[in-house]
Amino acid sequence: MRDQKNSRRFGARACGLVLGLAVAAAVVVPASPAAAAVPGLVRISATSASTSNDFHSVTATCPAGKVLTGAGYEVNGATGEAVVDDFRPNGGVAAAPTAVTVGAYEAEAFAGNWSVTAYAVCANPLAGLVRISATGASTSNDFRSVTAACPAGKVLTGTGFELNGATGEGVVDDFRPNGGVAAAPTAVTVGAYEAEAFAGNWSVTAYAICANPLAGLVRASATSASTSNDFRTVTAACPAGKVLTGTGFELNGATGEAVVDDFRPNGGPAAAPSTVNVGAYEEDAFAGNWSSTSYGICATA
């Protein structure tokens, strides 16, 4: 009799265990949506006064609570007669950048009115965001180049440059983040030529905006046709599902005879950028063929 009761108890427990496992197996936990690598991404702009002054400068500042991941600029009305000398994110090795300053000089005397626009690509705070800089030697050579590299374990989200001592006599020809379609960028190289023969010493500073690794970070690029036209434009677009955190460009074959006039990420105060346009003019008449390349630094949306 006792054996029969024990047998019934064991059977009931076994039945309850099987039922519990079946219920547990039937519960489906919904998948969490993929986290954005750069939440809250927007593009902010600021434009200087339009005058015939030799120098113009303006700063675009991220909204309160956001940080600068990258930047861009535009020279309005000068059509190749002005060169950007300063494209400087603020911040430092222990401080996240929050603004970018753009300063431009007339390359030659220009009677018309013109202005500059600074574009700031801004996001909610990113882990480990800092600004790194590197400055080349100050010499009177026609060309100089310098690379700013992120600290070990960090990746490149944005870029900047500064020409020191050239005051309109230098032209940035290469502004190239490394990386590729399957590799996260970690450094930026800035190369600049004298626009005209210049006897003074000058140098180049490269700025790298760096953060802890971001999901899906890659470098996209697009190159225009190589022609002898006075102007060319090209747009680099991020792959589907990615957004633009930073920018770069390269002029191929012009060796100081062309200037980047438009360096414009798309987007706005309520829209994340996903492309960057590069437009360049010949600074003086130049018979050779040349092209321009646009670089976009892109992360998971």
Side-chain angles (χ1 to χ4, degrees):
M1 188 72 172
R2 184 175 296 168
D3 290 342
Q4 290 177 348
K5 287 181 179 179
N6 288 340
S7 178
R8 284 196 294 269
R9 285 176 185 166
F10 177 78
R13 288 176 183 170
C15 182
L17 179 60
V18 171
L19 181 60
L21 289 173
V23 171
V27 175
V28 178
V29 179
S32 299
V38 278
L41 198 71
V42 294
R43 190 205 69 181
I44 304 300
S45 64
T47 301
S48 73
S50 182
T51 71
S52 60
N53 293 349
D54 176 64
F55 178 74
H56 294 73
S57 179
V58 67
T59 297
T61 302
C62 291
K66 291 187 183 288
V67 293
L68 186 81
T69 68
Y73 65 77
E74 192 167 6
V75 179
N76 314 294
T79 58
E81 299 300 326
V83 296
V84 171
D85 189 88
D86 304 318
F87 180 47
R88 187 177 62 254
N90 69 350
V93 294
T98 56
V100 60
T101 297
V102 177
Y105 288 91
E106 293 181 357
E108 296 176 352
F110 178 64
N113 289 346
W114 60 285
S115 66
V116 293
T117 297
Y119 294 107
V121 179
C122 307
N124 296 352
L126 298 180
L129 195 72
V130 293
R131 189 207 69 181
I132 304 300
S133 64
T135 300
S138 181
T139 71
S140 61
N141 295 346
D142 175 62
F143 177 75
R144 64 256 302 101
S145 178
V146 67
T147 297
C150 292
K154 292 185 184 288
V155 293
L156 186 79
T157 71
T159 55
F161 64 77
E162 190 167 6
L163 303 184
N164 314 293
T167 58
E169 300 298 329
V171 173
V172 172
D173 187 87
D174 302 319
F175 184 39
R176 188 177 63 257
N178 69 351
V181 294
T186 56
V188 58
T189 297
V190 179
Y193 288 90
E194 293 180 355
E196 308 285 352
F198 177 63
N201 289 345
W202 60 290
S203 66
V204 175
T205 298
Y207 294 108
I209 302 173
C210 307
N212 293 354
L214 298 176
L217 196 72
V218 296
R219 189 202 69 181
S221 65
T223 300
S224 73
S226 181
T227 71
S228 61
N229 294 347
D230 177 62
F231 177 76
R232 67 254 302 101
T233 182
V234 65
T235 298
C238 290
K242 295 183 186 289
V243 290
L244 185 84
T245 69
T247 54
F249 64 76
E250 189 171 6
L251 301 181
N252 317 293
T255 58
E257 298 299 326
V259 300
V260 171
D261 188 89
D262 302 320
F263 183 40
R264 186 176 63 255
N266 73 338
S274 59
T275 66
V276 56
N277 175 260
V278 172
Y281 287 91
E282 293 180 357
E283 193 266 323
D284 285 314
F286 177 63
N289 289 345
W290 60 284
S291 66
S292 59
T293 298
S294 175
Y295 294 109
I297 302 172
C298 308
T300 300

